[in-house]
Amino acid sequence: MPWLAVEKEPRGRPRASPRPRHHHDAAYRPYVARIGIPAPMDADRTTDIAAGRVFVTGDPVMGVLVLVPEPDHLVLESIAVHPDAHRQGMGKRLLAFADAHARARARALGLPEIRLYANALMWENQEIYPRYGYEVTERRRDGQYDRVHYRKRIPEATPDER
């Protein structure tokens, strides 16, 4: 079933995206031979979309981000860059959006950090996250997945943000 996501553009103008699922799956497809079906490819995002937790960028969609608030942190549940947009700064822009969203949303909810995890066999990602301030907290098995868990503290508000 195709799903819709709402793009939160800097100007605050929402835009319906017709096929982000296709692009999201394309981003994870290279990992299938290595690890099987990655969890994000198997996820039903209907609830996340309805709750405003799925963000896309590009026209056509080239990046998909899923941010889920938990009781004590914000989870960057999925970050996906379409293969056609690799090496163009899309991942960096998605991580910057996640940071900005975390600063605004997590603070409003009293959440001190943003967390994410990556399959241990997705070694390309493990080189990226530390460059953007994420630190490894642990490596553990979650069901069938061997995952590396990361966190990034959300900085205190600057005077301009208060």
Side-chain angles (χ1 to χ4, degrees):
M1 177 176 102
W3 45 278
L4 298 177
V6 177
E7 180 172 350
K8 306 285 185 174
E9 295 181 354
R11 296 174 301 282
R13 183 179 46 139
R15 178 175 60 86
S17 294
R19 297 179 49 198
R21 177 76 188 229
H22 165 78
H23 299 291
H24 185 258
D25 286 356
Y28 284 99
R29 196 166 291 117
Y31 298 110
V32 172
R34 195 183 312 165
I35 67 171
I37 302 294
M41 286 181 74
D42 211 22
D44 177 2
R45 296 289 178 205
T46 306
T47 302
D48 291 328
I49 292 165
R53 298 185 292 233
V54 178
F55 304 90
V56 299
T57 190
D59 188 11
V61 173
M62 288 288 143
V64 180
L65 188 66
V66 181
L67 294 166
V68 179
E70 293 291 339
D72 64 344
H73 61 279
L74 188 67
V75 178
L76 195 167
E77 193 166 282
S78 179
I79 180 169
V81 175
H82 191 279
D84 292 347
H86 283 183
R87 304 230 174 258
Q88 298 176 24
M90 178 67 66
K92 181 178 181 175
R93 289 192 298 276
L94 288 170
L95 287 170
F97 177 86
D99 282 357
H101 184 80
R103 289 170 71 119
R105 182 94 170 116
R107 248 193 235 113
L109 296 172
L111 306 178
E113 63 189 24
I114 185 168
R115 297 181 190 170
L116 64 87
Y117 51 83
N119 190 295
L121 294 177
M122 294 177 160
W123 54 79
E124 303 89 341
N125 298 336
Q126 293 175 44
E127 295 174 2
I128 294 169
Y129 299 131
R131 285 188 265 158
Y132 293 94
Y134 288 87
E135 62 181 330
V136 173
T137 58
E138 66 179 324
R139 179 176 174 171
R140 72 169 187 255
R141 275 200 92 61
D142 293 324
Q144 67 186 31
Y145 301 106
D146 181 12
R147 293 179 170 156
V148 179
H149 291 255
Y150 298 84
R151 77 171 173 205
K152 182 176 185 176
R153 300 270 184 210
I154 298 169
E156 293 297 318
T158 64
D160 297 354
E161 297 172 320
R162 291 187 188 133

